[in-house]
């Protein structure tokens, strides 16, 4: 009798152990499920729309800042002379958080403006769950820093999947939104700087402005890093700084890296280059380009800077990718049945490829290239 009781107890214990470890008939957890559980996201609705899951191990935090550069005046837009301001969003590796509100993808007011500017979109497209929590403590240690700049009329939020993935691998991603160049940017007084219409002349006259924005933000980071009471204090490895951006922001990343020795490496995601194209350069930089029709011919600005490169530069064309495939837009649209039509994809220059596969490829190539020089 004792033997039967012992065997029954062992069997019951084994069943509990198997259940706890995911054994028995239970399916193994996917990477997304494991990440959600580890980072306290398991309470999210299973049918909620989400971005692609980050591929790294770190949980994520996010913080917003509105900054004013007292050394520069606002060159364009606004209602008169004022000091230059920028919007900054920081994604970073977080500790296993206690509390912390879920970070929204876009503020509703900004989502409405973006949807109105992008014909064929509805604000509901931007109602998607991120993997970040707002202003939770940063993971211990010092982390390499990447500054990001978006395209004209776009916002850093539209590249959240790329930023979250980089941060999940231990990088601090600092995205800079440029008032009257980027999309709607929240200023220090709470108002929105809105770029209603892209002036082609702006691309030429503002190239140095966005480069100076990046330079200013890195200076600001150095000050915050010395402040132990700040969220970023003592957590930034400013000896390992990279720059990347999309479109106009990709040009800014390259031109900043050419003029600031603090930038060790960078990536231009399908951006023509504005500003001074002369002068040789020799540092690690990747030109990651979409596939453009042969009828367009080569981009003369890309050819100019490429001909002046050193040995550490690389260049790659991604077959099937369109200019705006580098943003989250197509992925977000694909989660709404019937919304991503061929006509809309063509109008927004999104291409016809698989959105998840394209984002995955851009994430991997960007991460692997910058990882060679920032680790």
């Amino acid at each position: 009798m004792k033997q039967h009781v012992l065997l029954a107890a062992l069997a019951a214990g084994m069943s509990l152990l198997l259940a706890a470890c995911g054994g028995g008939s239970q399916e193994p957890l996917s990477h997304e499920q494991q990440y959600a559980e580890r980072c306290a996201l398991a309470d999210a609705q299973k049918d909620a729309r989400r971005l692609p899951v980050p591929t790294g191990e770190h949980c994520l935090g996010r913080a917003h800042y509105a900054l004013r550069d007292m050394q520069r005046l606002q060159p364009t837009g606004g209602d008169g002379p004022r000091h230059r301001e920028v919007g900054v969003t920081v994604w970073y590796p977080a500790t296993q958080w206690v509390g912390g509100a879920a970070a929204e993808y876009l503020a509703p007011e900004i989502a409405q403006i973006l949807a109105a500017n992008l014909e064929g979109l509805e604000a509901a497209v931007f109602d998607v769950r991120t993997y970040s929590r707002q202003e939770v403590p940063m993971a211990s240690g010092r982390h390499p820093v990447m500054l990001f700049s978006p395209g004209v009329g776009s916002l850093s939020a539209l590249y959240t999947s790329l930023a979250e993935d980089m941060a999940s691998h231990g990088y601090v991603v600092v995205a800079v939104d440029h008032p009257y160049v980027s999309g709607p940017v929240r200023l220090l007084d709470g108002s929105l700087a809105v770029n209603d219409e892209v002036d082609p002349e702006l691309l030429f006259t503002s190239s140095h402005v966005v480069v100076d924005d990046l330079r200013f933000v890195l200076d600001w980071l150095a000050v915050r890093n010395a402040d132990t009471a700040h969220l970023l204090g003592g957590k930034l490895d400013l000896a390992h700084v990279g720059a990347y951006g999309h479109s106009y922001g990709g040009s800014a990343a390259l031109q900043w890296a050419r003029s600031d020795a603090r930038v060790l490496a960078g990536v231009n995601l399908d951006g023509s280059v504005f500003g001074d194209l002369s002068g040789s350069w020799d540092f690690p930089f990747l030109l990651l380009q979409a596939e453009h029709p042969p009828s367009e011919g080569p981009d003369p600005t890309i050819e100019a800077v490429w001909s002046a490169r050193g040995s550490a530069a690389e260049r790659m064309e991604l077959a099937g990718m369109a200019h705006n495939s580098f943003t989250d837009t197509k992925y977000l649209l694909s989660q709404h049945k019937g919304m991503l039509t061929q006509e809309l994809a063509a109008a927004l220059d999104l291409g016809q490829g698989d959105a998840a596969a394209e984002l995955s490829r851009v994430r991997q190539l960007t991460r692997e290239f910058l990882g060679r020089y920032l680790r």
Side-chain angles (χ1 to χ4, degrees):
M1 178 65 71
K2 289 182 179 181
Q3 184 179 18
H4 290 297
V5 172
L6 179 60
L7 289 173
L10 287 172
M14 184 60 71
S15 297
L16 290 172
L17 181 60
L18 286 170
C21 297
S25 60
Q26 291 184 339
E27 292 292 328
L29 295 179
S30 66
H31 173 67
E32 182 173 7
Q33 291 169 322
Q34 292 177 32
Y35 189 90
E37 287 196 2
R38 183 171 68 255
C39 297
L41 299 168
D43 59 341
Q45 298 176 6
K46 292 183 178 180
D47 60 346
R49 296 185 178 93
R50 277 196 177 279
L51 295 170
V53 63
T55 59
E57 294 301 316
H58 285 282
C59 302
L60 302 174
R62 194 188 73 182
H64 286 301
Y65 303 96
L67 309 181
R68 178 177 292 149
D69 184 354
M70 299 303 295
Q71 304 303 313
R72 292 187 295 154
L73 292 178
Q74 168 61 39
T76 58
D79 299 319
R82 61 191 302 177
H83 288 98
R84 177 66 172 170
E85 295 186 17
V86 295
V88 171
T89 304
V90 183
W91 287 269
Y92 55 89
T95 59
Q96 299 284 57
W97 43 60
V98 178
E104 64 183 355
Y105 186 80
L106 269 179
E109 182 182 6
I110 294 177
Q112 291 284 354
I113 295 173
L114 275 183
N117 289 343
L118 297 172
E119 188 175 347
L121 263 66
E122 300 174 9
V125 168
F126 304 115
D127 183 14
V128 60
R129 291 184 183 272
T130 72
Y131 288 89
S132 303
R133 298 277 181 149
Q134 198 67 23
E135 296 189 357
V136 293
M138 193 180 297
S140 60
R142 288 179 178 260
H143 309 280
V145 176
M146 297 181 182
L147 271 74
F148 176 82
S149 179
V152 169
S154 188
L155 282 176
S156 57
L158 296 181
Y159 307 85
T160 294
S161 61
L162 181 56
E164 287 192 329
D165 189 63
M166 299 299 295
S168 77
H169 286 270
Y171 298 94
V172 174
V173 178
V174 182
V176 182
D177 287 313
H178 313 275
Y180 309 110
V181 177
S182 304
V185 180
R186 186 78 63 188
L187 302 177
L188 269 173
D189 64 3
S191 65
L192 284 175
V194 179
N195 182 16
D196 290 318
E197 190 172 321
V198 177
D199 179 359
E201 197 63 31
L202 181 75
L203 303 179
F204 298 93
T205 59
S206 296
S207 59
H208 70 285
V209 176
V210 296
V211 169
D212 287 342
D213 287 346
L214 295 171
R215 197 186 326 274
F216 162 67
V217 171
L218 184 55
D219 292 341
W220 177 82
L221 290 172
V223 175
R224 299 288 79 77
N225 200 36
D227 180 1
T228 56
H230 195 273
L231 173 68
L232 308 177
K235 300 296 179 64
L236 308 179
D237 178 4
L238 296 179
H240 293 88
V241 173
Y244 71 122
H246 174 235
S247 193
Y248 197 65
S251 170
L254 175 58
Q255 295 290 43
W256 178 41
R258 294 177 71 191
S259 62
D260 195 329
R262 294 176 295 177
V263 184
L264 300 186
V267 178
N268 176 350
L269 303 173
D270 203 42
S272 297
V273 184
F274 294 85
D276 185 6
L277 305 180
S278 63
S280 61
W281 53 283
D282 190 10
F283 53 87
F285 204 93
L286 172 63
L287 301 176
L288 198 56
Q289 297 175 263
E291 181 180 13
H292 294 279
S295 59
E296 292 184 2
D299 184 328
T301 67
I302 291 291
E303 299 306 320
V305 295
W306 183 248
S307 65
R309 74 192 184 283
S311 59
E314 297 184 26
R315 184 176 179 178
M316 184 181 303
E317 183 179 284
L318 302 182
M321 289 277 289
H323 183 65
N324 285 323
S325 299
F326 294 89
T327 74
D328 295 338
T329 307
K330 182 159 64 169
Y331 185 88
L332 298 179
L333 284 167
S334 69
Q335 297 188 70
H336 295 260
K337 186 176 180 180
M339 188 175 289
L340 183 58
T341 63
Q342 290 188 357
E343 293 75 17
L344 182 59
L348 298 180
D349 200 5
L350 298 173
Q352 301 298 327
D354 180 77
E358 290 175 343
L359 283 180
S360 176
R361 192 176 184 197
V362 172
R363 282 170 150 193
Q364 180 181 357
L365 291 171
T366 304
R367 187 177 67 242
E368 289 179 351
F369 182 83
L370 292 174
R372 277 188 253 158
Y373 305 101
L374 300 185
R375 288 296 189 186

